[in-house]
Amino acid sequence: MTFIFTGSNRWQHHSKLLWRTHEAHHSNKEVDWLAGTRSHAVEILINQTVEFAPIILLGANPIVVPIKALLDAVWGMYIHSNIDVRSGKLQYIINGPEMHQWHHANDRRVFYANFSTKFAIWDWLFGTAFLPDEKPGAYGLYYDYPKDYFLQHAFSVKRLDENRLVKSIGGSGYIMGAGERSFDG
């Protein structure tokens, strides 16, 4: 099942349509244990279907669903945590923060790398692994992204400039603007 989710994550990064729902997850300027919870509602629906539909369709014992959900939540907190972990050779099999932090880096070298969340072996086998000796210099998207939860959902459908929107409705204060992501590599 982790192979399927790795493929799904890769597809989210390569599809303009799916990226629109996945970019919220990559918009954090800091990666910490809560970064994995930042997601678009449609992405949550897609990911949970990919993760849990096979379990249900294969007729697994119902207790498997909450156990898997708990393991996924704990593992998500671990790989998104801002801790200095060195897994050594284990990093070739199991994903950890040192590799997943690069997946969230604002660095063009990794826009299409480190898709695995649990088993890094898939990235190593398919040539999408990236793990240099240094830590990422910056995280998040290289373009402005809305901070407001509801505007993030609107942004996935129509690119908008939050500052201009706020001014047009008589608001004040700084809200980030918007831009396009390049998909040419």
Side-chain angles (χ1 to χ4, degrees):
M1 223 154 346
T2 63
F3 175 74
I4 294 170
F5 190 76
T6 299
S8 175
N9 192 3
R10 185 176 183 160
W11 194 20
Q12 289 172 323
H13 282 257
H14 284 82
S15 163
K16 287 182 182 182
L17 178 65
L18 293 177
W19 176 254
R20 292 284 182 107
T21 64
H22 187 60
E23 67 187 333
H25 178 69
H26 285 270
S27 64
N28 287 16
K29 297 297 182 186
E30 295 178 26
V31 175
D32 61 26
W33 66 281
L34 285 174
T37 63
R38 185 175 183 142
S39 294
H40 188 284
V42 173
E43 181 189 20
I44 292 169
L45 181 65
I46 292 168
N47 289 347
Q48 297 309 302
T49 301
V50 169
E51 289 270 350
F52 291 100
I55 293 170
I56 295 165
L57 293 173
L58 292 172
N61 187 320
I63 193 68
V64 171
V65 172
I67 291 171
K68 182 187 179 337
L70 176 65
L71 292 172
D72 285 351
V74 170
W75 196 261
M77 286 185 250
Y78 170 63
I79 65 171
H80 290 98
S81 62
N82 189 11
I83 55 176
D84 191 15
V85 174
R86 299 287 178 224
S87 303
K89 292 186 189 314
L90 194 57
Q91 184 60 62
Y92 291 104
I93 300 167
I94 297 173
N95 199 2
E98 70 266 40
M99 194 162 171
H100 200 70
Q101 287 172 2
W102 275 104
H103 179 70
H104 284 268
N106 183 355
D107 187 320
R108 289 187 183 269
R109 296 176 295 168
V110 292
F111 284 169
Y112 303 102
N114 296 354
F115 300 112
S116 300
T117 55
K118 294 177 187 74
F119 293 106
I121 192 168
W122 300 124
D123 282 311
W124 294 107
L125 287 173
F126 292 105
T128 55
F130 184 83
L131 186 60
D133 290 332
E134 76 269 10
K135 285 193 162 267
Y139 298 101
L141 303 170
Y142 66 86
Y143 51 89
D144 291 334
Y145 189 78
K147 289 183 178 180
D148 180 85
Y149 178 77
F150 297 106
L151 287 179
Q152 289 174 9
H153 285 74
F155 190 75
S156 69
V157 177
K158 169 113 175 84
R159 297 307 197 197
L160 49 91
D161 183 326
E162 275 186 294
N163 290 324
R164 193 174 302 152
L165 179 64
V166 168
K167 286 178 185 175
S168 73
I169 58 174
S172 62
Y174 176 75
I175 300 178
M176 294 175 67
E180 282 288 338
R181 177 180 174 154
S182 169
F183 284 90
D184 53 12

